[in-house]
Amino acid sequence: MAQPLVKKDDDQEGEEYSPFLGIEKGAVLQEARVFNDPQLDARRCSQVLTKLLYLLNQGENFTKIEATEVFFAVTKLFQSKDNGLRRMVYLMIKEISPSADEVIIVTSSLMKDMNSKTYMYRANAIRVLCRITDGTLLTQIERYLKQAIVDKNPVIASAALVSGIHLLQTNPEIVKRWTNEVQEAIQSRAAALVQFHALALLHQIRQSDRLAVSKLVTFGLTKKGSVRSPLAQCLLIRYTSQVIRDSSMNSQTGERPLFDFLEACLQHKADMVIVEAARAITEFSGVTSRELTPAITVLQLFLSSSKPVLRFAAVRTLNKVAMTHPLAFTNCNIDMESLISDQNRSIATLAITTLFNTGNESSVDRLMKQKISNFMADIADEFKIVVVDAIRSLCLKFPLKHRSLMNLLSNILREEGGFEYKKAIIDSIVILIRDIPEAKETGLFQLCEFIEDCEFTYLSTQVLHFLGNEGHKTSNPSKYIRYIYNRVILENATVRAAAVSTLAKFGSMVESLKPRIFVLLKRCLFDSDDEVRDRATLYLNMLGWDASVGETDKGVKEFLFGALDVPLVNLEASLRSYEPSEEPFNLSAVPKQVKSQPLTDKKTPSKKPTSPVDAYEKLLSSMPPEFSSFGQLFKSSAPVELTEAETEYAVNVVKHIFSGHIVFQYNCTNTIPEQLLENVLVVVDASETKEFAQVTSKPLKTLPDDSPGQTFVAFMKPDGLPATGRFSNLLKFIVKEVDPATGEAKEEEEGVEDEYQLEDLQVVAADYMLKVSVLNFENAWESIGPACERIDEYGLGVRESLAEAVTAVINILGMQPCEGTDVVPNNARSHTCLLSGVFIGNVKVLARLSFGIDGPKQVAMKLAVRSEEEAISDAIHEIVANG
Amino acid sequence: MLLAVLFANTDGNILIERFHGVPAEERLHWRSFLVKLGAENLRGAKNEELFVASHKSVYIVYTVLGDICIYVVGKDEDDELALAEVIFAITSCTKDACGKPPTERLFLDKYGKICLSLDEIVWQGMLENTEKERIKRLIRMKPPADV
């Protein structure tokens, strides 16, 4: 009896002490000195190398000096003939990846190994060399690598081929010269994996050449080119389906043998190949149901495979099939349902989402009985979100089932979960409330319950805001008040402030509740937080608590709860740059256009980003007084290039639009280091345009190389009107030679006058339109009303596609596409695009464009414009008519 | 592309990790995501029973071997089936190096050998070898038996 006990003790001791216990970098670096011993102890050296590897794998950082020392010491180990140690050395060099100036130390040893008679030295040396090499060394060893690719030893061939795949990223021109050798390797009978690597490399070399890929595939289907490894066969299937997809011929002719190959692969002995082939077949857009059936049948069989990976692969593929060919998928429903209880949660998640996406009205109830909420408790948040999204789409598809589906959402909302997950559920409930009117009361009640016990401030405030918008429209708004006021009592300051706003909104919208809301708001006047007190004071005063209770003024409602109509980013930027002074902050001065990031140098990300609108405004306000008298900047265009890339002088222009003026800001860059430019000015010829008159210009004093500078030219134009025209530009300057020693212009140098022709610049109607999006187009459309609506129809002629026509019109108008309507589905015959913007003079404009395309690709368009002024609606039509 | 191979103990401490094509700032995220995935699913799992997941168009196949959790992550052509091949090669080599499904101590004892095996199986995100016998010879610098 004593014996097993002793053994157990031994075991436990073994468990406790790791061979790396207490390992310390400094000590290991000391130990690495054994690499310098004249009599190398291979075993000891291997142990030290293992320790170094362990440290590297634990994320220990070696300083540059430490890494260099280790590297130099390791190179000494090339003297040892011990195989195990040599293998370790190869790995270690790859792990430390020496810097370019150190590589030279080992290259000769490695090149020697690469031609060694010991096969294994050769394979490993190739891998290490390719890992640490640069272009110049590569040309030296290229000859050996080409030989290695066709070497009879599969280890050497594979090492060279895989190296080729990596080197293709850095030195494509060299690797592309190896095509013949790689082709030979594909026919290699030696090892299945060599074929796999060769096929992958050859495809990568030729992937941009469709014909070559097609030849590669055709060759792969011949007996000579047939591949043995299932991995290689999978590659071949992928390339084949790519070729079939690329060729636009129908299945009657050219690629039939290719399709036959895919069908034959469904009978392959390797599961991996069968799944790949089935996947390829199901992914073709024009596949017939006769072609689809065998593929779906094999996938269906895999659904009940004992191997989880196969079940996953099958369910993942069928999930996609369910979207594209719902009818063909119907047979799999029962098998799929049995996967809901799969041990592997990812498989179950995919099965559930697939069933949700394909389910019909009658299957919803059955699915609900599957205890999905139990299942949800077992999976990670990332996967739960996928299920929540599926529930939402199912509910939108079958609004009649909203009761059971929203119950499910409400149940899972009560379970544990992280922020993203809870947010996904809240977002879903909000969308369902918006889209299914019958779901509103239930949904709002669920949200109220949620905020009673919500740990996320952000979500609580979002829900409160939403309650404020929707709650007062219900049959009995008073029932929500309790939940909202509870927040004032129980929550943190941010949530309390949001609750105060929501209460006030109820008060302003529902007259009967007003006196009671005043009582609650008055209690908030004594809150510990100043924001809460301030809000309560504001609302009480604005809603008139001290006056006799009457209907709240529309202006007050607009002031308190109306939209600001400016992007919050811009508002924030303007508020930050506002300096307290006598002059109050002017909301109408906040730029309305959301600008993308300017074309700044990407190499200096550390610089604090400033809004481009802001930057331009500051820039212009620092200009001569004439510029600042132009009034408020309406819009700045994106930079338009006036020179081709890589010319001596690079110039682009930004158009700044004011009500009665336009300023061209020419951004000039001098790329010649030997030159300094002075008095740089753009001479603008506006003779082709009658509506513009030049008023002033500001030349650039000096322009040294590679430090961009700006010169400006300003024109007067008819006030508030969208004048257009073409301007020709000539860059004039004085060139001075630069002393290379000092980097400054030579003193005696007077300079030579020179000029440089730039491309013409156009001012178009879109320059007068700000891209301003609206949250809800339909609401905005209704609120502008039909008073100033103008509708007309246009023929756009023959177009490449509907998408191209839509993009062209959007560009002509320069308006913001709303609700993603700028994206035209493939093969669509008609499309509606919604645009919004603000036209010069700060007039809101909305446009609804209906496009249709016929057989010979003639595109017709109906344009309905609504704006606040008739003249502007007409102007928009004029822009389209002239465009 | 094989994006990552990770070995961790049952407590979630990383023993070996190889990332390829994953920016340094995303590695921490992957590390914790995988360890969490393992903690949620591998408890009570049988040795070498494969688990599979996909997250943001990336596939993950993972398993447990003795006290060691092994994760492989791939994308594009390295889908769940290719990853299953990789993880099979990794588990058989690890078992071979240790002689049995390893305890953490045994795994660390054979650390060097396992690192070398991994170097033969995956090299900078490319699958290089899958046969256990061949890998066993390669790490001792012996040419494969079939040559």
Side-chain angles (χ1 to χ4, degrees):
Chain A
M1 257 193 84
Q3 246 183 353
L5 261 180
V6 172
K7 194 167 187 301
K8 200 175 172 199
D9 276 347
D10 274 356
D11 263 5
Q12 274 180 346
E13 208 166 290
E15 295 300 317
E16 276 171 24
Y17 294 108
S18 143
F20 302 119
L21 191 72
I23 187 169
E24 210 250 319
K25 185 174 77 174
V28 179
L29 290 176
Q30 289 282 336
E31 281 186 70
R33 292 187 178 171
V34 294
F35 300 163
N36 296 319
D37 284 355
Q39 294 296 319
L40 284 172
D41 176 352
R43 205 175 121 80
R44 174 114 181 77
C45 291
S46 287
Q47 280 170 351
V48 178
L49 283 175
T50 311
K51 284 185 186 172
L52 285 167
L53 275 177
Y54 180 78
L55 285 174
L56 283 169
N57 277 326
Q58 290 299 308
E60 186 78 62
N61 275 326
F62 284 42
T63 64
K64 177 89 177 64
I65 297 171
E66 286 166 349
T68 308
E69 270 177 16
V70 170
F71 171 68
F72 280 130
V74 168
T75 56
K76 302 264 167 59
L77 300 179
F78 271 101
Q79 291 167 27
S80 165
K81 294 282 175 229
D82 184 279
N83 275 344
L85 180 60
R86 179 64 67 91
R87 182 67 189 81
M88 215 59 179
V89 168
Y90 291 130
L91 176 59
M92 197 62 208
I93 296 176
K94 282 193 282 186
E95 288 290 313
I96 329 176
S97 43
S99 59
D101 50 335
E102 295 164 358
V103 167
I104 189 89
I105 306 292
V106 278
T107 38
S108 60
S109 302
L110 289 171
M111 279 168 76
K112 202 174 118 205
D113 282 1
M114 202 163 80
N115 295 300
S116 157
K117 282 187 185 136
T118 314
Y119 275 118
M120 299 319 295
Y121 282 8
R122 282 166 63 183
N124 278 296
I126 288 172
R127 296 201 291 184
V128 181
L129 265 176
C130 292
R131 171 87 170 81
I132 61 176
T133 191
D134 61 3
T136 44
L137 181 63
L138 188 59
T139 41
Q140 286 179 45
I141 59 170
E142 187 187 356
R143 189 162 56 93
Y144 303 114
L145 289 174
K146 278 163 114 178
Q147 281 170 9
I149 289 174
V150 290
D151 199 296
K152 284 199 189 71
N153 186 320
V155 183
I156 296 176
S158 271
L161 287 165
V162 177
S163 301
I165 294 174
H166 292 306
L167 290 169
L168 193 63
Q169 315 298 325
T170 48
N171 297 284
E173 64 297 333
I174 296 180
V175 181
K176 280 179 182 166
R177 297 199 290 249
W178 306 351
T179 313
N180 288 338
E181 285 77 11
V182 181
Q183 182 95 42
E184 203 175 310
I186 293 185
Q187 298 169 41
S188 143
R189 301 274 105 200
L193 273 177
V194 174
Q195 284 186 323
F196 167 61
H197 294 134
L199 197 60
L201 177 56
L202 194 60
H203 180 257
Q204 283 196 19
I205 292 176
R206 292 176 165 181
Q207 61 185 345
S208 54
D209 180 353
R210 276 191 196 181
L211 190 66
V213 174
S214 171
K215 274 186 186 167
L216 169 69
V217 167
T218 325
F219 175 72
L221 303 193
T222 60
K223 206 165 180 192
K224 203 174 163 194
S226 69
V227 291
R228 288 183 292 143
S229 126
L231 283 164
Q233 189 84 351
C234 286
L235 287 185
L236 201 55
I237 291 172
R238 274 184 209 128
Y239 305 155
T240 306
S241 67
Q242 185 62 45
V243 171
I244 297 181
R245 217 169 296 142
D246 285 347
S247 73
S248 53
M249 291 182 294
N250 64 44
S251 56
Q252 302 293 314
T253 54
E255 74 281 14
R256 200 61 234 183
L258 298 186
F259 201 89
D260 288 345
F261 163 70
L262 295 183
E263 280 190 334
C265 285
L266 292 177
Q267 318 287 332
H268 200 276
K269 58 180 187 297
D271 295 337
M272 175 193 258
V273 176
I274 301 175
V275 173
E276 195 64 50
R279 199 172 276 167
I281 293 173
T282 58
E283 279 171 4
F284 290 129
S285 53
V287 66
T288 64
S289 63
R290 195 190 62 77
E291 290 162 338
L292 202 58
T293 313
I296 293 194
T297 312
V298 294
L299 290 172
Q300 196 180 347
L301 282 175
F302 284 142
L303 286 181
S304 42
S305 160
S306 61
K307 296 179 185 166
V309 175
L310 272 180
R311 291 203 299 278
F312 182 84
V315 78
R316 184 164 75 82
T317 313
L318 285 170
N319 180 302
K320 284 190 189 147
V321 174
M323 310 287 170
T324 48
H325 310 284
L327 278 180
F329 173 79
T330 333
N331 287 339
C332 308
N333 261 326
I334 301 291
D335 293 291
M336 205 57 116
E337 277 182 32
S338 63
L339 289 181
I340 294 183
S341 49
D342 197 293
Q343 280 293 313
N344 198 317
R345 291 304 172 192
S346 300
I347 297 176
T349 312
L350 266 175
I352 287 180
T353 49
T354 314
L355 288 166
F356 276 164
N357 289 329
T358 58
N360 50 35
E361 205 139 6
S362 60
S363 67
V364 172
D365 293 323
R366 201 171 68 233
L367 277 174
M368 289 303 110
K369 283 184 196 141
Q370 299 268 4
K371 297 194 174 169
I372 287 170
S373 41
N374 284 359
F375 155 82
M376 294 284 272
D378 288 348
I379 56 173
D381 276 8
E382 286 85 352
F383 305 120
K384 287 179 186 165
I385 293 173
V386 178
V387 180
V388 169
D389 289 345
I391 296 175
R392 186 185 61 220
S393 17
L394 187 66
C395 192
L396 289 174
K397 206 156 101 191
F398 303 117
L400 283 177
K401 296 289 170 194
H402 76 263
R403 207 169 295 277
S404 58
L405 288 166
M406 286 189 73
N407 262 341
L408 176 63
L409 286 178
S410 156
N411 285 341
I412 56 177
L413 191 55
R414 287 195 207 110
E415 307 289 333
E416 288 288 300
F419 173 76
E420 291 296 334
Y421 171 50
K422 294 278 164 124
K423 183 169 179 294
I425 305 176
I426 296 295
D427 288 348
S428 294
I429 294 179
V430 165
I431 289 172
L432 295 178
I433 291 174
R434 272 196 194 140
D435 289 8
I436 308 172
E438 302 79 48
K440 184 182 262 182
E441 303 243 345
T442 337
L444 287 177
F445 191 68
Q446 287 170 354
L447 292 178
C448 285
E449 294 229 302
F450 169 67
I451 51 172
E452 285 283 271
D453 185 22
C454 170
E455 54 183 313
F456 304 108
T457 299
Y458 176 82
L459 291 180
S460 291
T461 55
Q462 293 290 303
V463 168
L464 284 167
H465 178 75
F466 186 72
L467 278 175
N469 284 345
E470 300 293 330
H472 61 83
K473 297 179 196 160
T474 56
S475 56
N476 183 10
S478 65
K479 71 176 177 188
Y480 303 108
I481 302 296
R482 179 170 68 88
Y483 296 98
I484 301 167
Y485 188 66
N486 275 348
R487 308 280 66 73
V488 178
I489 304 170
L490 298 167
E491 300 282 357
N492 63 41
T494 314
V495 179
R496 293 205 301 275
V500 166
S501 297
T502 308
L503 282 176
K505 203 157 195 181
F506 271 79
S508 80
M509 299 297 179
V510 188
E511 284 306 315
S512 58
L513 286 179
K514 213 179 214 179
R516 286 187 273 167
I517 294 283
F518 283 155
V519 174
L520 296 177
L521 284 180
K522 274 190 238 169
R523 290 188 195 165
C524 304
L525 293 173
F526 305 101
D527 195 279
S528 59
D529 184 78
D530 54 354
E531 171 71 20
V532 180
R533 289 196 305 272
D534 287 356
R535 282 195 192 194
T537 314
L538 172 75
Y539 291 130
L540 280 169
N541 285 316
M542 294 307 289
L543 298 175
W545 67 285
D546 48 353
S548 58
V549 175
E551 193 169 320
T552 310
D553 186 38
K554 202 180 168 202
V556 172
K557 281 186 195 169
E558 186 61 33
F559 167 69
L560 288 179
F561 306 112
L564 287 171
D565 267 350
V566 286
L568 284 179
V569 191
N570 295 4
L571 178 62
E572 187 186 347
S574 301
L575 280 169
R576 280 183 193 281
S577 61
Y578 172 72
E579 280 161 20
S581 63
E582 288 294 302
E583 200 181 327
F585 180 77
N586 183 3
L587 190 62
S588 59
V590 178
K592 290 190 174 165
Q593 190 164 22
V594 182
K595 280 256 179 167
S596 53
Q597 281 290 312
L599 298 165
T600 44
D601 190 354
K602 283 184 185 156
K603 285 174 196 158
T604 52
S606 56
K607 236 176 154 183
K608 203 180 156 200
T610 51
S611 131
V613 185
D614 239 28
Y616 286 140
E617 272 207 306
K618 269 193 188 150
L619 186 73
L620 290 170
S621 60
S622 63
M623 293 291 113
E626 295 98 307
F627 284 50
S628 48
S629 67
F630 294 164
Q632 196 200 331
L633 176 64
F634 174 71
K635 177 182 175 177
S636 298
S637 75
V640 183
E641 295 298 332
L642 296 182
T643 50
E644 285 179 7
E646 292 171 21
T647 46
E648 307 88 305
Y649 312 113
V651 180
N652 65 40
V653 62
V654 178
K655 297 171 265 185
H656 300 291
I657 312 281
F658 294 83
S659 177
H661 294 84
I662 182 162
V663 176
F664 297 144
Q665 172 192 330
Y666 294 92
N667 300 313
C668 312
T669 313
N670 165 20
T671 62
I672 308 174
E674 299 82 24
Q675 286 187 358
L676 173 75
L677 308 188
E678 286 187 351
N679 269 342
V680 183
L681 179 68
V682 178
V683 179
V684 186
D685 177 7
S687 58
E688 281 183 45
T689 61
K690 294 194 179 90
E691 293 174 297
F692 294 88
Q694 185 170 337
V695 283
T696 181
S697 65
K698 182 175 181 293
L700 178 62
K701 272 188 188 152
T702 59
L703 183 64
D705 79 295
D706 266 349
S707 113
Q710 291 97 20
T711 156
F712 298 83
V713 182
F715 285 85
M716 196 156 85
K717 67 170 201 55
D719 199 28
L721 289 183
T724 58
R726 176 182 282 272
F727 300 79
S728 64
N729 305 293
L730 184 69
L731 186 69
K732 281 197 164 185
F733 46 84
I734 295 169
V735 186
K736 282 188 178 174
E737 227 177 284
V738 170
D739 185 347
T742 60
E744 285 173 15
K746 292 176 183 165
E747 271 180 29
E748 68 278 15
E749 180 91 32
E750 275 187 13
V752 185
E753 272 192 36
D754 201 355
E755 53 188 44
Y756 189 81
Q757 186 66 47
L758 304 175
E759 288 185 16
D760 288 358
L761 163 69
Q762 272 194 307
V763 174
V764 291
D767 288 327
Y768 299 97
M769 182 70 80
L770 277 182
K771 283 188 176 180
V772 175
S773 59
V774 288
L775 280 178
N776 184 326
F777 187 89
E778 214 43 57
N779 283 356
W781 183 260
E782 290 311 318
S783 75
I784 285 193
C788 305
E789 182 171 287
R790 288 285 181 278
I791 303 176
D792 210 343
E793 288 178 10
Y794 300 86
L796 303 183
V798 177
R799 292 285 174 159
E800 201 177 290
S801 67
L802 202 54
E804 188 256 331
V806 172
T807 315
V809 177
I810 294 175
N811 287 341
I812 288 173
L813 288 173
M815 295 170 77
Q816 174 72 38
C818 300
E819 298 166 19
T821 52
D822 52 330
V823 182
V824 184
N826 275 347
N827 303 325
R829 314 293 301 163
S830 62
H831 183 72
T832 300
C833 179
L834 309 172
L835 302 176
S836 76
V838 170
F839 202 57
I840 190 157
N842 278 329
V843 185
K844 262 191 215 168
V845 183
L846 297 173
R848 191 191 283 271
L849 305 114
S850 311
F851 293 84
I853 189 165
D854 65 4
K857 300 209 165 177
Q858 283 279 353
V859 177
M861 176 182 78
K862 182 177 160 192
L863 168 64
V865 180
R866 284 189 180 184
S867 76
E868 290 156 341
E869 287 175 33
E870 274 177 57
I872 301 295
S873 298
D874 288 331
I876 303 299
H877 274 282
E878 237 171 77
I879 293 171
V880 174
N882 296 334
Chain B
M1 171 86 75
L2 284 165
L3 298 175
V5 179
L6 247 83
F7 290 74
N9 64 10
T10 38
D11 297 333
N13 298 321
I14 306 293
L15 302 172
I16 302 180
E17 63 177 15
R18 289 272 180 286
F19 280 104
H20 187 261
V22 180
E25 64 273 17
E26 281 177 29
R27 293 183 184 178
L28 184 65
H29 164 77
W30 274 107
R31 217 173 278 148
S32 49
F33 175 77
L34 292 176
V35 166
K36 195 166 141 246
L37 198 65
E40 279 163 4
N41 295 291
L42 289 177
R43 192 148 307 193
K46 289 195 288 264
N47 268 338
E48 293 182 74
E49 181 186 352
L50 290 191
F51 286 77
V52 57
S54 67
H55 177 52
K56 294 181 178 171
S57 77
V58 160
Y59 310 103
I60 304 140
V61 175
Y62 55 109
T63 190
V64 67
L65 185 68
D67 289 350
I68 309 297
C69 306
I70 305 169
Y71 307 84
V72 287
V73 184
K75 69 169 183 185
D76 301 332
E77 69 277 10
D78 282 314
D79 58 12
E80 63 277 14
L81 293 166
L83 294 180
E85 292 280 310
V86 178
I87 208 163
F88 178 70
I90 293 175
T91 47
S92 29
C93 287
T94 311
K95 235 173 15 176
D96 206 56
C98 302
K100 58 176 182 181
T103 58
E104 189 181 340
R105 163 74 207 240
L106 188 54
F107 182 89
L108 291 175
D109 273 342
K110 304 290 176 189
Y111 196 82
K113 227 177 192 182
I114 294 167
C115 284
L116 288 178
S117 304
L118 188 60
D119 190 44
E120 294 290 352
I121 298 168
V122 182
W123 182 43
Q124 281 191 282
M126 277 292 295
L127 174 62
E128 201 167 344
N129 279 303
T130 50
E131 289 165 44
K132 180 185 81 172
E133 285 310 317
R134 166 178 291 195
I135 294 162
K136 199 171 156 186
R137 293 180 70 83
L138 291 182
I139 60 170
R140 287 184 293 141
M141 300 281 272
K142 298 261 188 304
D146 52 345
V147 178

